Amino acid sequence: MSPHEIYIIHLSWGSDGKIRPVLVFIVDEDTVDIYQITTQYENKSEHIKSQYFKINDPEQAGLNKASYIDTGTLISLPKDAFKGKTPVGILTDGDKQRFLKFLK
């Protein structure tokens, strides 16, 4: 598992949850910090849109439509959440560079 890879995992919150794509950002010994990926953009507030990074090459990232990385919340998960999972894609070098600039 490496930073900038895209996985499809089940994220849960409380008694609910959803299967969704995520971007691996930081990999530590026991945890993985991720950002959620969404296709929902147009109907969001300007504040929320300002936190969304557009992936220019969604196909390379293993996504089938225009997608955005939601940088509003960095989520830390145990590595076990990725057990048996393989990445569906990875950000292109151009998207990686743009993303790191976006975060600054």
Side-chain angles (χ1 to χ4, degrees):
M1 175 179 312
S2 300
H4 305 114
E5 289 180 334
I6 310 290
Y7 285 79
I8 306 295
I9 65 168
H10 183 268
L11 290 177
S12 60
W13 48 90
S15 61
D16 206 359
K18 189 174 185 180
I19 294 175
R20 64 179 317 114
V22 298
L23 172 77
V24 172
F25 189 60
I26 299 170
V27 181
D28 288 329
E29 189 173 320
D30 299 320
T31 61
V32 179
D33 292 345
I34 57 109
Y35 287 111
Q36 296 182 67
I37 296 175
T38 184
T39 59
Q40 304 300 306
Y41 179 82
E42 292 305 321
N43 294 324
K44 300 294 182 179
S45 70
E46 290 305 314
H47 173 71
I48 296 296
K49 286 180 180 181
S50 73
Q51 297 176 358
Y52 281 13
F53 171 82
K54 184 175 184 185
I55 298 172
N56 279 345
D57 191 349
E59 294 81 23
Q60 175 76 27
L63 306 166
N64 59 11
K65 54 178 140 176
S67 297
Y68 302 83
I69 300 168
D70 178 354
T71 65
T73 305
L74 184 64
I75 301 169
S76 187
L77 298 173
K79 273 192 173 175
D80 288 350
F82 294 84
K83 190 174 183 177
K85 304 284 185 192
T86 57
V88 296
I90 190 166
L91 292 183
T92 63
D93 287 341
D95 275 341
K96 287 178 199 176
Q97 291 173 3
R98 287 179 42 256
F99 182 61
L100 294 175
K101 284 182 185 177
F102 181 85
L103 291 176
K104 291 183 180 185

